[in-house]
Amino acid sequence: MNTVAKLSAYGVALALVAGGAWVAGTAVGPFAGAAGLPGGEDAGHGDAHSGTVAEAAPTDEPGGLASSRGGYTLTPTTTTLTPGTSQHFSFKVLGPDGAPVTGYDVEHGKRMHLIVVRRDTAGFQHIHPELGADGLWTVPLALPQAGSYRVFADFKPTGGSATTLGVDVAAAGEFKPVEHRPSRVANVDGYQVRLDGDLTPGRSSKVTLTVTKDGREVTDLERYLGAYGHLVALRGGDLAYLHVHPDGEPGDGRTKPGPAVTFFAEVPSNGTYRLFLDFQHQGKVRTAEFTVATAGTPAPSATQNQTPPPAADDGHGGHG
């Protein structure tokens, strides 16, 4: 598939329809699954951060599928951005009383983690906005290419539960959706990262990421967000968000700074998942990307066309 899709400057959603064509339509709310793709609305984490669909669905559903959950609502000041330019992206989280939330706990080194990725899982970014006294979060955001993007807000309100909310934003223009074949080895900025281990739905799965550079093991990884690696998993189709954590942490007397970083992840269903590992070495954060199917999931056809993901300046979609 090498179809070129076009987005208007208004809220839109992409759908993969029969015949393999991408179409764009006006979105009246958060993205819903279409043409057999799973969809819905929810929030939560894969590490015991659970969620519901509009407070009415089972609490074990994965996160990021809803803009509202448990009385908290993600409200961006705009849902349209210009591709290729850096703009200030702002949003508030409204609490059960309808007022902006101003109290947040520090989780993994930050009070707010913002994950931004196009709906074809290209252009991944992990950034950290700043909170104003009025509850307004602001962060510079550059969407590298046109498309429909999902923004995940990962946070823990003071006195509340850890939550992940999601909302779509649009960058107008033409683009070619990226297709990702299964891949367990990633090359980024001179580093190679290998993923070992299998994802098994409904149970904790051990996965190990091993980092090398120029054929040599990297044994001096640096602490990033309180660990030697930070892993995000997104389910193909609906972008269900799973935030997994490493086994051990720096300074615990048993966790080494590479070359291997081990995680335990629990995926909710069979399917294909995109995994994004953030790691820091020599003062710079980089992201390695993988495409992993659970056992029994058919692989994409070898004849499918592929389009390289948008290139980042430093081999990483972005951090802040």
Side-chain angles (χ1 to χ4, degrees):
M1 179 177 64
N2 201 21
T3 304
V4 177
K6 181 179 289 186
L7 249 55
S8 72
Y10 300 96
V12 299
L14 296 179
L16 182 61
V17 298
W22 286 90
V23 297
T26 302
V28 296
F31 184 82
L37 295 180
E41 297 303 310
D42 192 20
H45 278 175
D47 55 331
H49 298 175
S50 60
T52 64
V53 174
E55 300 185 69
T59 57
D60 60 350
E61 292 195 4
L65 299 180
S67 60
S68 184
R69 178 252 180 183
Y72 295 93
T73 302
L74 176 61
T75 57
T77 57
T78 182
T79 56
T80 59
L81 296 170
T82 302
T85 63
S86 181
Q87 300 170 262
H88 278 91
F89 179 73
S90 300
F91 62 94
K92 292 182 179 180
V93 176
L94 304 183
D97 59 357
V101 177
T102 57
Y104 295 84
D105 292 344
V106 174
E107 291 277 289
H108 318 298
K110 298 289 182 179
R111 289 184 293 173
M112 176 68 70
H113 299 266
L114 205 69
I115 304 298
V116 183
V117 65
R118 204 167 66 180
R119 277 211 166 266
D120 57 358
T121 67
F124 177 90
Q125 300 184 52
H126 179 180
I127 53 181
H128 302 107
E130 296 292 331
L131 178 63
D134 59 353
L136 182 69
W137 292 95
T138 303
V139 65
L141 176 60
L143 303 181
Q145 294 184 357
S148 180
Y149 288 77
R150 191 68 172 171
V151 176
F152 299 95
D154 179 351
F155 62 94
K156 185 178 184 297
T158 300
S161 300
T163 302
T164 303
L165 303 178
V167 68
D168 280 353
V169 298
E174 295 183 350
F175 73 102
K176 295 181 180 179
V178 178
E179 296 176 13
H180 305 280
R181 295 179 182 176
S183 61
R184 287 176 170 265
V185 176
N187 293 286
V188 53
D189 201 14
Y191 293 81
Q192 185 176 90
V193 186
R194 187 184 74 249
L195 184 151
D196 294 298
D198 296 315
L199 298 177
T200 303
R203 57 184 289 186
S204 181
S205 303
K206 180 180 178 180
V207 293
T208 300
L209 289 303
T210 303
V211 184
T212 60
K213 189 177 191 318
D214 300 326
R216 298 181 179 180
E217 295 181 340
V218 176
T219 58
D220 57 346
L221 292 173
E222 297 162 0
R223 181 192 296 257
Y224 175 63
L225 300 176
Y228 290 128
H230 187 281
L231 188 66
V232 168
L234 300 175
R235 184 169 62 186
D238 62 357
L239 300 190
Y241 177 93
L242 305 168
H243 191 163
V244 295
H245 301 286
D247 178 31
E249 60 184 24
D252 63 5
R254 65 181 182 88
T255 303
K256 297 180 180 180
V261 185
T262 298
F263 296 85
F264 287 91
E266 184 171 338
V267 299
S269 66
N270 279 314
T272 299
Y273 290 81
R274 288 276 287 159
L275 276 62
F276 302 87
L277 172 72
D278 292 334
F279 66 96
Q280 182 168 304
H281 188 240
Q282 296 180 347
K284 191 173 183 180
V285 179
R286 298 164 177 86
T287 298
E289 305 182 7
F290 310 88
T291 305
V292 180
T294 56
T297 301
S301 170
T303 61
Q304 288 179 328
N305 295 324
Q306 291 194 103
T307 302
D313 290 341
D314 60 355
H316 176 257
H319 290 93

